[in-house]
Amino acid sequence: MGKRFYRFCRVLVRIFTKPMRTEWAEQPDDGPYVFAVNHDGAHGPLLMCAHFPLRDQCHPWINSPVYDREAMPEYVLHDFWWKPGCFWEPVLKRTVPYIAAALVPPLMEGADGIPIYRDQRVMTTFRESIKILKNNEHIVIFTDGFDEN
């Protein structure tokens, strides 16, 4: 279910967004790569996973709370999915975290991502990353925001 839901959403993103332009400093050939790209809010990961030419061989690093329906509401509240203090904030705080908890974890299960743990389980993140690279597949790391948590 998760894989089909993810692929369906990825097609929708490709249909309703402008194609991403990929510029290579050097065209990749054989071998695994680690792509370090800008997060750019929610746009960066969405566009990267939908439009990037190597998207089917890429495994994005994804914050671990995004996989957990129970942790997702708190993650949304602290990750500021809207501008703090905006007019709609009271309504958004009561709705968006729970809608996200219902939709995002099943979607992310289909993304073939690598959960990022920020505690002693960080070694799991690194072990999974090494396994992906040994399989000659690629990793995508959205670099900005790492110092915030």
Side-chain angles (χ1 to χ4, degrees):
M1 165 64 181
K3 191 72 155 171
R4 280 190 229 155
F5 183 45
Y6 175 77
R7 288 179 186 234
F8 172 74
C9 290
R10 195 168 71 173
V11 167
L12 289 178
V13 170
R14 277 199 303 266
I15 290 170
F16 293 106
T17 61
K18 290 186 339 184
M20 179 180 89
R21 188 179 76 220
T22 303
E23 293 184 20
W24 306 101
E26 189 174 312
Q27 180 73 29
D29 43 344
D30 290 342
Y33 289 91
V34 176
F35 297 101
V37 299
N38 191 321
H39 203 286
D40 190 29
H43 295 103
L46 285 172
L47 295 177
M48 183 75 178
C49 293
H51 293 290
F52 187 57
L54 301 174
R55 66 186 169 268
D56 291 327
Q57 295 88 38
C58 288
H59 302 267
W61 273 17
I62 300 172
N63 284 323
S64 61
V66 174
Y67 288 99
D68 185 347
R69 287 180 192 256
E70 291 179 22
M72 189 67 188
E74 188 69 23
Y75 178 77
V76 171
L77 289 172
H78 284 78
D79 195 43
F80 296 117
W81 286 24
W82 53 82
K83 185 176 179 182
C86 74
F87 176 78
W88 294 105
E89 185 174 28
V91 173
L92 296 172
K93 280 177 125 175
R94 291 188 188 106
T95 57
V96 172
Y98 304 101
I99 293 169
L103 296 176
V104 175
L107 177 66
M108 291 298 103
E109 288 173 13
D112 287 334
I114 302 167
I116 303 170
Y117 297 102
R118 298 179 190 273
D119 54 20
Q120 68 273 13
R121 297 173 297 168
V122 71
M123 291 309 295
T124 304
T125 301
F126 293 128
R127 284 187 194 106
E128 184 64 25
S129 298
I130 290 168
K131 188 170 94 178
I132 295 295
L133 294 171
K134 283 183 177 179
N135 285 336
N136 212 27
E137 294 187 327
H138 315 297
I139 296 173
V140 179
I141 300 173
F142 301 97
T143 58
D144 50 322
F146 272 103
D147 59 339
E148 294 173 6
N149 295 326

